[in-house]
Structure formats: C-alpha cells, structure tokens
C-alpha cells in the first residue's frame, strides 16, 4: 500500500511538471502601420539550460532599429505563462473592436512541436485596464517589463 501511494504521488508530480513544460515559446508583436518605425518583435524561448530562457527583442529607438538579447530564469517565464492562462477567449471576443487606423498587437504561446495559441487584437491600449481584455493587457505589460522594452501604448 505504501508503495502504491508513493507511486501515485510521484506520478502526479510528474504530470504537474509536464503541464508547465508544454509551453516553451512566447512571441509578441506590435505594429502600427501608419507610424513609421513602430514595429516591435519579442521572442522568449527556452535555451539548452532547462532553467533559462532567452529573450530576443527588435524595436526602434527613434529611427534606429535596436536588437537586444536577455536571459531570464524559469520563474520569470512561469509568471508569463500564469498570466497567459488568465486570459479568457470570451473576454477577448466581448472586447472586440474594429477600425480603420490603429495598432495591432499579438501574443502567441507555443510548444517546441509548433502547437500554438495566439491572440491578435486591434486597438488595445493601457487605458483599457477595466475592459474585458485587461488580462491580455497585463500579459503584454509583463512581457514588455521583463524585456525592458517601452511602447507608449502599453507602459
């Protein structure tokens, strides 16, 4: 009986860890087609070191394109995943807007086998903290803070 209990506890702990390991890549993109030099791309992915993630960011500082590379620990990456899990599809659908001019923002998470979930939304802004898309906005702000990238629409 004791062996069975130990086996069950061990199996459960492996399955919980496997849940967290399914997502190992986050991608963020922001663009405003009517504003020159506004594009931002941030990729966060696991390195060969299991406890380390690499951040590659491309953005513009005025007219000069900047590329930078940072490293974070898995605890920071797990904060991003925890925030991503708070986003509800129904909230994004209920906050849907359309327009002719504005920025497009997308956040994508995926596994190393290219299974992915992506949210892409038009016109999201930091002033919408009480809107249905507030969890997505928090996710974006967390990505930008961890990456040390500033976008006036968000931070």
């Amino acid at each position: 009986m004791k062996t069975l209990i130990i086996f069950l506890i061990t199996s459960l702990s492996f399955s919980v860890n496997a849940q967290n390991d399914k997502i190992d890549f986050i991608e963020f993109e922001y663009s405003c087609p009517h504003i020159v030099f506004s594009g931002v791309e941030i990729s966060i992915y696991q390195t060969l070191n299991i406890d380390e993630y690499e951040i590659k960011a491309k953005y513009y500082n005025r007219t000069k394109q900047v590329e930078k590379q940072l490293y974070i620990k898995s605890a920071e990456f797990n904060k991003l995943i925890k925030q991503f899990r708070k986003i509800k599809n129904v909230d994004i659908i209920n906050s849907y807007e359309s327009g002719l001019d504005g920025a497009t923002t997308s956040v994508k998470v995926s596994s190393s086998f290219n299974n992915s979930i992506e949210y892409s939304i038009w016109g999201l802004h930091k002033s919408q903290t009480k809107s249905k898309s507030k969890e997505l906005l928090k996710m974006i702000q967390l990505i930008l803070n961890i990456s040390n990238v500033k976008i006036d629409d968000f931070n």
Side-chain angles (χ1 to χ4, degrees):
M1 184 67 168
K2 185 176 178 181
T3 307
L4 178 62
I5 292 172
I6 292 172
F7 175 75
L8 288 174
I9 291 172
T10 306
S11 297
L12 287 174
S13 68
F14 283 134
S15 67
V16 168
N17 287 337
Q19 277 282 343
N20 293 334
D21 292 338
K22 287 182 181 178
I23 297 173
D24 54 11
F25 182 82
I26 298 174
E27 187 175 75
F28 167 81
E29 291 184 3
Y30 169 86
S31 69
C32 190
H34 299 294
I35 299 176
V36 181
F37 308 117
S38 66
V40 176
E41 295 176 12
I42 300 172
S43 299
I44 306 171
Y45 53 91
Q46 192 169 23
T47 64
L48 294 176
N49 179 349
I50 275 189
D51 191 40
E52 186 176 67
Y53 289 81
E54 183 175 355
I55 300 173
K56 286 191 177 181
K58 292 181 187 178
Y59 59 97
Y60 287 92
N61 184 359
R62 295 189 176 92
T63 59
K64 181 182 176 194
Q65 186 175 32
V66 176
E67 291 186 29
K68 72 177 173 181
Q69 185 176 3
L70 306 164
Y71 293 92
I72 60 172
K73 295 292 183 188
S74 60
E76 290 292 313
F77 188 81
N78 288 336
K79 287 180 189 177
L80 292 167
I81 300 307
K82 185 177 178 182
Q83 181 59 42
F84 187 82
R85 289 184 175 141
K86 292 179 182 178
I87 301 169
K88 295 184 174 85
N89 290 335
V90 69
D91 289 343
I92 301 300
I93 291 167
N94 289 335
S95 67
Y96 179 79
E97 295 181 26
S98 62
L100 298 173
D101 188 15
T104 303
T105 307
S106 65
V107 176
K108 176 180 176 180
V109 299
S110 63
S111 70
S112 54
F113 295 108
N114 226 6
N115 295 323
S116 64
I117 300 169
E118 181 174 5
Y119 293 105
S120 185
I121 192 165
W122 174 87
L124 192 60
H125 191 268
K126 64 184 171 190
S127 64
Q128 297 170 309
T129 56
K130 296 192 187 323
S131 73
K132 298 273 187 190
S133 54
K134 67 183 175 197
E135 296 301 335
L136 178 60
L137 181 61
K138 287 178 185 177
M139 174 73 180
I140 291 166
Q141 290 171 331
L142 189 57
I143 290 170
L144 293 173
N145 288 337
I146 287 174
S147 304
N148 295 320
V149 174
K150 294 266 185 214
I151 298 176
D152 288 339
D153 283 353
F154 299 114
N155 52 6

